[in-house]
Each structure stands twice: as C-alpha cells, then as structure tokens.
Amino acid sequence: MVVILNQIRIITFTNKIDYIKRLFVSQLSSALFAVSMFISCTSAGEKAGDTTASKDSITTHQVTIDEFKKGQVIDSIRCTSDGAQYFALYLPTNYSPNLNFPCIVLFDAHARGVLPLNKYKDLAEKYGYILLASDNSKNGLSPEVTGKYAAALLAEARTRFNTDPARVYTAGFSGGSRVAGDVAMKDGNVSGVIGCSAGFSGNGQGGSKFDYVGFAGEQDFNLLEMEALDQQLQAHGFVHQLFTFPGIHGWPPAENLEMAMLWLQVNAMKARKQPKTDDVVDLLKSLYNKQITSAEKAKDIIAQEQLLSGMVSVLNSLSDVSSEEKKLATLQQSAEYKKAIANEGALQQQELAGQQELAKEIAAHDDKWWADKIASMKKEISSSPVVVARMKQRLLNYLGLVCYLYADGVIKQGDARSSGHYLNVFQMVDPANPDVSYLKAIQCMKLQDVQGTLIALNKAVDLAYNNVADILSEEMFAPLHSDPKFAAIVKRMNQNLSGK
C-alpha cells in the first residue's frame, strides 16, 4: 500500500508554524526555538443500548490482572512495559474481565492525562468505554519519543485491560492529535482517530487506514488545517467527518465529543465490529439534525452541506436517510451554495494572507502600533457578518500564537528583556490567556525577580493555568521548589487540573 501518511501532510496554507519559524530563524538561532512547535492552550447515566461491551464479535482475551476502582479517574499509573511512563485511567462501572470493551487512548498536548478524562468520563460511563491518557506525551518532544510513548500506551491498553481488539481508538488535542494520527497510521490495528485541532505531523510511516473524525473550534487558528485535512482524507478514501463547535483552540466540549463516540460506534456497526443498536443510530441522527437546524438558523449553508453529507454517509444502510439525500442534492445544486463555496475560498485565501502578514509584522512595530492595530482588528470583528467575524477572530488568535512562539523563543535564547514586547502584544490580544502570565514568570526568573515570578504564576493560576508537569519540570523554577509560596501555587494548579 502507498505510504498514505506521506501524502496526507499538513498542506500548503497550513504550514503556519514552519513559516513563523523561518522568519524567526532569520533573526535568532533556531536551536532552542525548535522545541516550541505549538502554542500552549489552556481552555480555560443510563447506558444507551449497552452494546459497547462485546464477547460475541471477538472472544475475550487474557490480560494482566490489576484491581482498579471503576467509575473514577485514576492518575499516575505506571506502565508495565516502561517504568518511566505513566497514564491516567477511567474504567466504566460495568467493566468486567468477562467482556471486551471499546477503548480510547488519548494524548493531550501538555501531558495532562487527567484533563480529557475528567472532561469525558461521563461519556465513557454512558457508552461503556475504557479511557487511557498519557501523562508523558506532550508538545516539544521528538516524533521518535512521542511515537515510543504512544506505542507503549496502546500496548498497555491491549494487554492490561479487556479491550476489544476491533475497537481500539486514539484521540488527541493539538500536538497530541498529531501523535494520535501518526501512531494509528503506524500501528495498523487502530480502528479510528478523534483528531482535535491538528492533523498528521508527516513524520510517521505506515499505510493503514482508519475512521477519522476531526474537531476544530470556529475561532481556532488551526481550522484551515482541519478543513484541508478533511479534503485530503476524502481524496484518499478514508471514512471521515469534520465537526466544528463555537470555541477556540482546545479539546471540544463533551456534548460535541459525544457525536464522535456515536459516529465511531455506528461505523463499527457497519463494519460488523459490534451489533447494531437502533438507540445509538437514532441518537446520532437526532444530534446531526440538531446541528443542521442550528446551521440553518445561522444561515451557514456550508455547515449545512457538510453535516447533511456526513449524516447521509454514516447512517446510510442503517437508517432511512432518503429525505436527507434529497435535501442534500437540492442544496448542492443551489446558486446560494455555489456562491457560498466561492466566498469561502476567498475568505480562506484572505486568512492565509493575513497570517503571513501578521507573522512578518510582529517584530517590525512597537507596542503602540500594535495597540492601535489590535483595537482596529477587534472593531472589525464586532462589525462584520458572522462568517467573516469568525475568520477575523481566528487571525487575532493566530497573532496570539505568533506572540507566544516569539516570546518563548527569545526567552529560551537568553534574551529575556526582548520577550517583553511579544508578551505585551500577547496580553493585548488575549488578556485572559494564562500563558502570558506563565511566560512572564519565566522571564522574571531569568531577570532574577523572584517576587515578580510568584506574582505572575499566581495570576496564571487565577486564569485557570493547569499545566502542572511544565511548572515542575521548568529548570528556571527549580530554586523555588522549597518555597511554601511556590508549593501553594502548585497545589492550586493541581486543583485547576482536577476541576475542583
């Protein structure tokens, strides 16, 4: 089989990180900058048919016997195959060694294993899924290292728990989404991927196909990438669906991820990997119709077409979608839809050009110029039609990404004072983003300002910062580890992470 992963790469206008990196390298050494590939993004029942556990599709297999509490998130479980690796776990309350259960292995961008598990544990309970999430895989690591972590966690899921071999899935957010896609391509036995806010890295190898459901916020600076990936998946014959939701760069809300879990189940039914359950099929159809209705009210004809097309594709042969097929055909032939497609293409090109321009300008102007520029951008957002406003908001969020990368890069290069400009602009763009304060804390430590560091870290926690692993591993904060004030900050950060 053709090496598909090398074909479905992050295409043309989506190579934004590399583009910024090239600009930055022209001013600074790239040796330390390379580790900063993705923005740090902190986002600030009754069983449905009970058909997910199965022992008739595939016989149960022998696993290592471990006693873990069911129905609660457990963190920091040591991997049996690699004692240096840890993961978070959720077992549904109906978990039994006599049945095989579908399993999702998750990869957060910042090794926060409990974060997605706390977010999606109710869904796992409702549909009978095992969830495992890496406490080690994160942005900034080499593909070889993240690939090793991912392979070990998949092996852990398959040998330590009663997972259904035909229904093992991966999921990830941002850089973690790239890990989820790459390991699925290489592994060959992953049935589906839930990719949130990023596609494949292009670093993996393999020719495997799997079901792929993508997510991106309507204001996510990576939406263009996810749209382009969706087109590439279609061209290469993947079963796929892209969902958007109101929001920025982050894990999707639970109500949105529920559609992905249902979508995967319905595709498993079509592939005879699990028995057909009408309740699941009907619920997915109902949720599709709910989103289609919302798109109609918003007069978003592009979203209407994408949802109708996806609904017909996934439910065909399991439910009567004849009326939806007629509605889809009528919509696709309408002049309004053809006009919307043309407008969307123009907006995509405008967004790409805007990204390139912002990346070029960030180092060329002072804070006053950027204050005026950002005020003008925000005014345009508030006065533009909905679709245009979303695009302009993505550009503003993209500017925040550029500022983060530049600030992080110059701090790592040893020029802490110069990072002040980028942090100031970042603050103007997104005053509620805790990453501004976190980078400010590192800057203060570089400048030997301990009091300023503690103030900045407390502000980051006030803004819901929860990346405990980074604060504990950051070398600049090592002198503070014995400080009770720092310990109190870490305690509050852990509370943010656990949702308490």
Side-chain angles (χ1 to χ4, degrees), residues 107-119:
F107 302 94
D108 182 63
H110 306 290
R112 301 167 298 187
V114 298
L115 181 69
L117 267 57
N118 282 326
K119 198 175 188 71

Side-chain angles (χ1 to χ4, degrees), residues 251-499:
W251 284 102
E255 57 266 30
N256 295 94
L257 197 92
E258 182 171 18
M259 285 195 73
M261 294 181 76
L262 291 167
W263 186 89
L264 291 171
Q265 288 186 65
V266 169
N267 278 305
M269 293 175 197
K270 294 174 74 172
R272 299 178 184 266
K273 295 177 180 179
Q274 75 177 70
K276 180 186 175 185
T277 307
D278 289 336
D279 287 351
V280 170
V281 174
D282 292 344
L283 180 54
L284 180 59
K285 188 173 185 178
S286 172
L287 292 176
Y288 263 110
N289 280 323
K290 183 179 179 180
Q291 288 209 9
I292 290 168
T293 299
S294 296
E296 289 172 343
K297 289 181 179 179
K299 298 182 178 180
D300 189 343
I301 195 168
I302 299 293
Q304 293 175 47
E305 191 278 338
Q306 290 173 339
L307 290 165
L308 275 169
S309 180
M311 179 181 179
V312 167
S313 176
V314 71
L315 295 178
N316 187 30
S317 79
L318 293 179
S319 180
D320 181 7
V321 289
S322 56
S323 62
E324 286 79 13
E325 287 178 317
K326 293 178 182 177
K327 186 176 181 180
L328 176 62
T330 300
L331 186 149
Q332 290 174 333
Q333 294 301 317
S334 68
E336 182 184 6
Y337 174 70
K338 294 175 181 178
K339 180 180 178 181
I341 287 292
N343 289 340
E344 181 184 51
L347 282 176
Q348 288 175 339
Q349 291 303 315
Q350 184 179 343
E351 185 171 352
L352 172 61
Q355 289 176 350
Q356 295 173 341
E357 190 63 27
L358 289 171
K360 289 179 180 178
E361 290 181 338
I362 184 60
H365 302 286
D366 61 16
D367 291 0
K368 175 61 171 61
W369 187 92
W370 278 109
D372 294 340
K373 174 71 173 179
I374 292 167
S376 175
M377 291 176 73
K378 291 182 176 181
K379 184 176 180 180
E380 289 178 2
I381 291 168
S382 64
S383 61
S384 297
V386 173
V387 176
V388 177
R390 289 174 185 165
M391 182 274 290
K392 291 182 179 294
Q393 183 64 55
R394 289 195 297 273
L395 280 176
L396 189 62
N397 294 340
Y398 178 78
L399 176 58
L401 166 66
V402 174
C403 292
Y404 174 89
L405 292 173
Y406 269 78
D408 187 55
V410 295
I411 288 173
K412 284 183 169 67
Q413 187 68 19
D415 188 4
R417 294 192 184 279
S418 295
S419 67
H421 165 64
Y422 305 114
L423 290 174
N424 290 340
V425 178
F426 194 3
Q427 178 81 36
M428 295 178 213
V429 170
D430 192 0
N433 194 318
D435 291 322
V436 179
S437 297
Y438 182 77
L439 286 177
K440 179 70 174 178
I442 297 176
Q443 179 200 39
C444 288
M445 281 301 290
K446 289 274 190 180
L447 298 174
Q448 300 182 336
D449 180 4
V450 173
Q451 185 63 26
T453 297
L454 295 172
I455 291 172
L457 285 176
N458 271 303
K459 184 174 181 181
V461 177
D462 289 341
L463 294 172
Y465 192 85
N466 59 16
N467 199 342
V468 180
D470 271 12
I471 192 175
L472 292 177
S473 63
E474 173 56 57
E475 292 182 0
M476 292 305 303
F477 298 145
L480 301 178
H481 285 189
S482 60
D483 190 326
K485 294 179 180 178
F486 182 79
I489 290 169
V490 173
K491 181 179 179 179
R492 292 179 59 213
M493 203 172 290
N494 270 307
Q495 291 172 341
N496 285 346
L497 183 60
S498 64

Side-chain angles (χ1 to χ4, degrees), residues 5 7-16 18 38 178 198-202 225 228-229:
L5 187 54
Q7 297 179 26
I8 308 179
R9 302 180 72 86
I10 305 169
I11 21 208
T12 55
F13 54 72
T14 65
N15 283 326
K16 57 179 80 67
D18 289 338
F38 304 101
R178 304 195 195 283
F200 303 131
S201 71
E225 175 180 332
L229 173 64

